Amino acid sequence: MKNENKIQYIYGIADNALILGQRLSELCGHGPSLETDIATTNMALDLLGQTRSYYQYVAQLSGEEKTEDDIAFLRTERQYKNVLLVEQPNVHFGYVITRQFLYDVFHLLLLQELQNSNDEMLSAIAKKAIKEVSYHQRFSSDWIKRLGDGTDESREKVQEAVNDLWKFTDELFHMTDDDKIAVESGIGVDVTTLKDKYHQIVKEILEEATLMVPEVKWFQKGGKQGVHSEHMGYLLADLQYMQRTYPNMKW
Amino acid sequence: MSEKEIKNLEEIFEQRIARDEKIEPKDWMPEKYRKTHIRQISQHAHSEIVGMLPEGNWITRAPSLRRKVALLAKVQDEAGHGLYLYSACETLGVSRDELYDQLHTGKAKYSSIFNYPTITWADIGAIGWLVDGAAIINQVPLCSTSYGPYARAMIRVCKEESFHQRQGYEIMTTLAKGTPEQKAMAQDALNRWWWPSLMMLGPTDAESIHTEQSMKWKLKRKTNDELRQQFIDQTVPQADIIGLTVPDPDLKWNEETGHYDFGEIDWDEFWQVVKGHGPCNHERMSARVNAWEKGEWVRDAAMAYAKKQEEKKLKKAI
């Protein structure tokens, strides 16, 4: 497998961690309680830590004098390969939890396969991340249950988020050309095989939370090709602000 | 209890403090001691929580992944400090909700320094270096204060604060050694944060209303002016090392006293900010109230869910 294909494959995983980490970090200091504030910050820290491991590896693979920061901050919007789900805004706590939950379930299934990758570095990163993401999934599932089976208001709010975000779940299981090459070379995960298990887990938790599984026929996609939602540009404007305003400096 | 009995208890109490014994939540304590401690500990907790906002302002824009992670972790530490300080305060018979209410209604104060805006990345360095630096000077003596839960919380807080202070100074060092633009950014931040940091150590001794009683209870070990001098003596050489200039034309080493002489502090500005008219008082409070109000349905849901689970368990047991 060519390094360029491998790099693109890694972006497909790592960019999710960066963008979701960035979204979560917006919440620091504004949570509904100190405990949830600390917990969402923890998840942001885990995801950004994973991002750094992936990007350091990409920097090494690139063969150029690149750093993790060049990769994180100096790409154009079309070059980020995260799914649309993770860039969706923090409308309210129900959206934060639902976005997290819908991604965590996928993320854990992905990592459980990625640890068997024949790429040693990816396998090592996955093994470490599994511990963190298992906690994320427990946290978000617990909150889905609390909000779903809490008060009438909370059920309504979290159901609204589930209905709204559901259209972004199908993209999780799409395969890009780079993904296919990575699977053929034994370094990547065939995400299409995770779909049934994903739906089974998600359905179980939503039902326990007394929530409805949405019946959506139309799904949104594009993130994996770098075609993002309108939210992405603003997120990147914040993320890249310093590196764009003051290029070529050490911080 | 008769007045004589109370007087007797008070005497025993003061003797215990004089012997450096710790007062614990279940021990008898004078009402004034309890109230003073609720005031001070909650004010401290509020400062941690409000203090998350000016720094949180730069998390999404931090210039590198390493800095972003470090800043997130730092702000998270502050949430942690808030958490154990509120818990220490609760041992004095007041609830966290009541304390929040005092903050949100303006009844309780928090450190005025957080009413200044963070307008450049260098402000994150300046806050760590100067604000956390001044906080440590204020707080280290509290590790041996008389109220046990507060003293123990402070030991942990101080360890983390001193890490933050080094981190902030390291940001400033990097900027000061960087490009002319970066150095100018660092100098500008020092110019804006220097005087508010001096004010952070409190009004001059002549104006300070709480000092005497607080000394007796070991809530304070040195006066505000002594602490301020200590901060200046410690910080000026640090600025020199990285080639930044402290924005005080009257600042001068005094061979005789062995301390720096410094210029007049603008106490009008201090009182303006304390009384609620600083650059960001309104924004900080709105952000806190907003987070609290918007979080209400979430907290209610968690309570309702916990109650339902409890009932389910009970039904099963029957």
Side-chain angles (χ1 to χ4, degrees):
Chain A
M1 183 177 190
K2 285 187 198 146
N3 271 359
E4 183 46 35
N5 296 117
K6 197 190 263 189
I7 288 171
Q8 289 302 322
Y9 177 70
I10 297 172
Y11 284 158
I13 299 170
D15 290 350
N16 289 332
L18 172 70
I19 301 303
L20 187 54
Q22 174 78 357
R23 274 289 182 233
L24 288 171
S25 71
E26 291 170 13
L27 297 164
C28 184
H30 304 277
S33 71
L34 268 179
E35 288 81 354
T36 49
D37 210 306
I38 290 171
T40 47
T41 304
N42 245 342
M43 296 195 292
L45 281 167
D46 288 342
L47 290 166
L48 292 169
Q50 293 165 21
T51 305
R52 294 186 69 188
S53 305
Y54 289 122
Y55 287 174
Q56 283 163 11
Y57 184 37
V58 168
Q60 191 190 319
L61 290 172
S62 74
E64 299 162 39
E65 294 229 337
K66 271 195 181 158
T67 68
E68 56 175 21
D69 291 328
D70 296 332
I71 295 159
F73 299 103
L74 294 177
R75 279 181 289 156
T76 59
E77 183 170 328
R78 291 292 311 275
Q79 293 171 321
Y80 288 85
K81 298 295 159 64
N82 58 282
V83 290
L84 298 177
L85 175 67
V86 295
E87 70 200 43
Q88 297 309 307
N90 303 320
V91 181
H92 59 57
F93 191 71
Y95 276 82
V96 172
I97 289 300
T98 303
R99 183 185 61 207
Q100 195 64 39
F101 170 65
L102 293 175
Y103 186 68
D104 289 344
V105 174
F106 168 78
H107 196 187
L108 188 57
L109 291 172
L110 174 79
L111 293 171
Q112 281 163 348
E113 294 301 320
L114 190 64
Q115 66 177 331
N116 304 320
S117 166
N118 63 24
D119 183 291
E120 272 177 34
M121 185 65 91
L122 287 180
S123 161
I125 297 173
K127 277 185 183 136
K128 181 168 178 281
I130 282 174
K131 288 182 203 141
E132 297 165 347
V133 175
S134 309
Y135 167 77
H136 300 180
Q137 187 182 320
R138 204 170 66 214
F139 177 83
S140 62
S141 303
D142 283 350
W143 270 103
I144 286 283
K145 291 180 213 163
R146 280 192 198 105
L147 298 180
D149 197 15
T151 63
D152 290 345
E153 187 190 2
S154 69
R155 179 185 295 122
E156 200 178 301
K157 281 198 142 101
V158 74
Q159 183 72 61
E160 176 204 354
V162 170
N163 294 349
D164 244 15
L165 295 175
W166 194 260
K167 61 177 174 284
F168 300 114
T169 51
D170 199 56
E171 190 189 13
L172 296 166
F173 309 102
H174 293 191
M175 296 276 283
T176 64
D177 292 342
D178 292 304
D179 292 347
K180 286 174 195 159
I181 297 169
V183 171
E184 279 162 22
S185 335
I187 78 148
V189 177
D190 181 352
V191 288
T192 59
T193 63
L194 307 175
K195 197 169 175 175
D196 288 346
K197 183 85 182 152
Y198 176 85
H199 280 110
Q200 187 196 326
I201 297 170
V202 167
K203 199 169 158 234
E204 227 166 74
I205 303 282
L206 289 181
E207 277 171 4
E208 200 184 328
T210 71
L211 292 167
M212 312 270 284
V213 179
E215 284 180 27
V216 175
K217 287 202 181 92
W218 305 102
F219 292 94
Q220 298 300 321
K221 60 173 196 265
K224 287 189 173 181
Q225 275 70 39
V227 180
H228 293 280
S229 60
E230 289 181 350
H231 303 295
M232 185 71 170
Y234 296 95
L235 182 148
L236 291 181
D238 266 0
L239 180 76
Q240 299 187 340
Y241 168 68
M242 289 296 289
Q243 290 271 343
R244 295 287 183 197
T245 313
Y246 304 97
N248 304 318
M249 297 185 197
K250 287 206 166 63
W251 300 97
Chain B
M1 224 182 289
S2 74
E3 250 177 63
K4 197 177 158 199
E5 280 170 313
I6 290 177
K7 196 134 194 272
N8 195 23
L9 279 173
E10 269 176 20
E11 260 169 43
I12 296 170
F13 179 84
E14 299 292 350
Q15 283 163 7
R16 286 186 61 194
I17 290 182
R19 285 197 301 270
D20 259 340
E21 280 178 40
K22 290 277 177 270
I23 307 301
E24 296 300 334
K26 285 186 177 153
D27 296 346
W28 182 88
M29 61 186 79
E31 192 53 19
K32 196 174 167 211
Y33 180 90
R34 199 180 72 87
K35 284 206 168 128
T36 303
H37 277 75
I38 289 177
R39 186 179 57 79
Q40 175 158 337
I41 301 171
S42 68
Q43 193 169 316
H44 190 168
H46 298 326
S47 301
E48 297 283 356
I49 300 311
V50 178
M52 293 169 74
L53 299 170
E55 290 181 281
N57 186 35
W58 278 89
I59 292 172
T60 59
R61 293 177 294 167
S64 70
L65 287 177
R66 175 175 157 252
R67 293 293 185 202
K68 188 189 286 289
V69 167
L71 181 58
L72 252 177
K74 183 193 175 194
V75 180
Q76 188 191 36
D77 280 349
E78 279 152 16
H81 297 171
L83 202 55
Y84 29 91
L85 287 166
Y86 282 126
S87 304
C89 209
E90 283 176 313
T91 64
L92 291 160
V94 59
S95 72
R96 218 204 286 181
D97 282 7
E98 281 173 79
L99 296 171
Y100 277 150
D101 190 59
Q102 290 172 3
L103 174 68
H104 297 157
T105 54
K107 226 176 109 191
K109 297 263 179 268
Y110 57 89
S111 183
S112 259
I113 193 92
F114 301 120
N115 292 315
Y116 289 87
T118 49
I119 55 179
T120 72
W121 169 251
D123 291 15
I124 298 308
I127 289 183
W129 175 33
L130 303 173
V131 176
D132 292 333
I136 294 165
I137 284 183
N138 246 334
Q139 291 169 2
V140 165
L142 292 173
C143 296
S144 56
T145 189
S146 63
Y147 189 55
Y150 192 29
R152 289 187 288 272
M154 289 317 297
I155 290 171
R156 186 158 164 197
V157 170
C158 283
K159 273 187 199 154
E160 293 179 350
E161 290 294 357
S162 101
F163 178 70
H164 297 165
Q165 197 264 349
R166 283 202 300 274
Q167 197 172 285
Y169 187 59
E170 200 249 322
I171 290 177
M172 291 303 261
T173 308
T174 308
L175 294 174
K177 284 187 189 156
T179 64
E181 249 175 319
Q182 285 174 304
K183 188 169 180 185
M185 194 191 279
Q187 182 63 54
D188 171 60
L190 172 57
N191 293 351
R192 284 180 289 107
W193 290 92
W194 174 255
W195 292 104
S197 301
L198 297 190
M199 295 175 198
M200 228 185 117
L201 295 148
T204 53
D205 297 346
E207 297 270 336
S208 180
I209 45 172
H210 302 298
T211 298
E212 200 186 329
Q213 179 69 78
S214 297
M215 288 276 197
K216 214 161 97 192
W217 287 337
K218 297 175 182 167
L219 265 174
K220 233 178 191 334
R221 297 241 138 138
K222 288 180 183 172
T223 70
N224 293 349
D225 288 335
E226 285 168 336
L227 293 170
R228 192 166 9 252
Q229 189 67 57
Q230 186 187 336
F231 174 73
I232 293 169
D233 291 347
Q234 168 189 309
T235 311
V236 172
Q238 293 172 352
D240 289 342
I241 290 172
I242 57 175
L244 295 180
T245 311
V246 172
D248 177 358
D250 298 324
L251 189 77
K252 207 171 64 210
W253 177 250
N254 185 327
E255 283 291 346
E256 237 167 78
T257 60
H259 295 291
Y260 281 93
D261 293 335
F262 56 97
E264 183 114 15
I265 292 172
D266 180 359
W267 291 110
D268 289 343
E269 177 183 321
F270 174 76
W271 290 113
Q272 179 180 338
V273 183
V274 169
K275 285 176 183 160
H277 311 290
C280 295
N281 294 60
H282 180 71
E283 286 80 354
R284 300 294 181 243
M285 220 19 64
S286 320
R288 281 318 313 157
V289 171
N290 195 28
W292 185 246
E293 286 176 353
K294 281 195 175 156
E296 193 179 1
W297 69 272
V298 177
R299 297 188 302 273
D300 288 348
M303 295 296 279
Y305 179 78
K307 205 172 151 217
K308 282 184 198 174
Q309 294 304 105
E310 203 52 48
E311 281 164 6
K312 267 188 206 163
K313 233 192 246 167
L314 209 66
K315 254 188 204 164
K316 255 193 196 165
I318 294 166

